[in-house]
Amino acid sequence: QATVLVPPGTGAVPPTQPGPWIERVVGWLGKVFLQDSPTRPASPEAGNTLRRWRCHVQRFFYRIYASLRIEELFSIIRDFPDSRPAIEDLKYCLERTDQRQQLLVSLKSALETRLLHPGVNTCDIITLYISAIKALRVLDPSMVILEVACEPIRRYLRTREDTVRQIVAGLTGDSDGTGDLAVEL
């Protein structure tokens, strides 16, 4: 019977419970590499090897999943709060991997290429900045990622002539896209 792996952010198999499919992979490893079978149980050394493989499979899963979510982070931030489960999944994986630098490089690059150019309305930049603040607070409560990743947005908004006007419009409710600004304050 074929097993369908469902991505963790969908709620079907969260990374906090990689369980069944990892156990199937580890069980397969036991049968293939350790020649484990009901008639010939594995030795204690083989059991230790299998436990190490289980850890490797879990780390591999977390690294791959985090890499996929890091590449999607711009869209995840844009869709926040609807994308909160994806942020929480990524947070869980980042706690188990050393991929914060990869996240920072990827997010800064995505922000600079997709958001910080003259073709994007200032109102849209402010709206995404507000979403980034909310999402990255969940991802990293220390707010280090927020400070580093969003510095290009702050710097770019200072160069836009209509930034102050858009912020004031957002505070007074005169602007469509920055209504979150008035709510936040």
Side-chain angles (χ1 to χ4, degrees), residues 77-95:
I77 288 171
R78 183 192 60 222
D79 297 340
F80 195 82
D82 295 335
S83 61
R84 186 181 185 103
I87 291 286
E88 289 171 353
D89 288 350
L90 179 57
K91 177 182 179 180
Y92 183 85
C93 291
L94 287 175
E95 289 168 353

Side-chain angles (χ1 to χ4, degrees), residues 122 126 157 160-171:
T122 303
I126 294 169
L157 283 172
R160 300 284 291 243
E161 292 179 10
D162 61 339
T163 298
V164 173
R165 185 171 7 106
Q166 289 294 330
I167 291 172
V168 170
L171 290 172

Side-chain angles (χ1 to χ4, degrees), residues 34 41-52:
L34 305 176
S43 67
E45 298 84 28
N48 289 335
T49 301
L50 194 56
R51 277 189 287 283
R52 283 195 308 271

Side-chain angles (χ1 to χ4, degrees), residues 128-150:
L128 193 112
Y129 183 42
I130 292 168
S131 290
I133 291 169
K134 292 176 183 177
L136 295 176
R137 276 185 186 164
V138 172
L139 182 64
D140 177 28
S142 72
M143 299 197 310
V144 172
I145 292 174
L146 172 66
E147 287 298 315
V148 175
C150 290

Side-chain angles (χ1 to χ4, degrees), residues 10 33 66-67 81 94 102 113 115 117 137 145 155 167 173:
T10 63
F33 292 110
S67 293
L94 287 175
Q102 177 188 351
T113 58
L115 186 70
H117 56 81
R137 276 185 186 164
I145 292 174
R155 191 174 48 240
I167 291 172

Side-chain angles (χ1 to χ4, degrees), residues 28-159:
W28 175 81
L29 286 170
K31 288 181 178 132
V32 171
F33 292 110
L34 305 176
Q35 295 153 2
D36 186 17
S37 70
T39 59
R40 190 174 134 201
S43 67
E45 298 84 28
N48 289 335
T49 301
L50 194 56
R51 277 189 287 283
R52 283 195 308 271
W53 274 101
R54 178 178 288 115
C55 289
H56 289 301
V57 169
Q58 286 175 328
R59 276 194 300 254
F60 178 76
F61 168 75
Y62 294 136
R63 288 189 63 76
I64 295 298
Y65 185 75
S67 293
L68 291 171
R69 285 299 192 206
I70 286 169
E71 292 303 315
E72 300 170 338
L73 192 53
F74 182 90
S75 298
I76 291 170
I77 288 171
R78 183 192 60 222
D79 297 340
F80 195 82
D82 295 335
S83 61
R84 186 181 185 103
I87 291 286
E88 289 171 353
D89 288 350
L90 179 57
K91 177 182 179 180
Y92 183 85
C93 291
L94 287 175
E95 289 168 353
R96 285 149 182 79
T97 63
D98 186 26
Q99 293 176 278
R100 287 182 183 273
Q101 189 62 36
Q102 177 188 351
L103 182 142
L104 286 170
V105 169
S106 177
L107 182 56
K108 283 175 79 172
S109 173
L111 290 172
E112 289 171 358
T113 58
R114 296 177 67 181
L115 186 70
L116 306 179
H117 56 81
V120 180
N121 291 326
T122 303
C123 182
D124 294 335
I125 296 171
I126 294 169
T127 300
L128 193 112
Y129 183 42
I130 292 168
S131 290
I133 291 169
K134 292 176 183 177
L136 295 176
R137 276 185 186 164
V138 172
L139 182 64
D140 177 28
S142 72
M143 299 197 310
V144 172
I145 292 174
L146 172 66
E147 287 298 315
V148 175
C150 290
E151 175 56 30
I153 297 175
R154 290 189 295 274
R155 191 174 48 240
Y156 185 75
L157 283 172
R158 287 185 202 115
T159 68

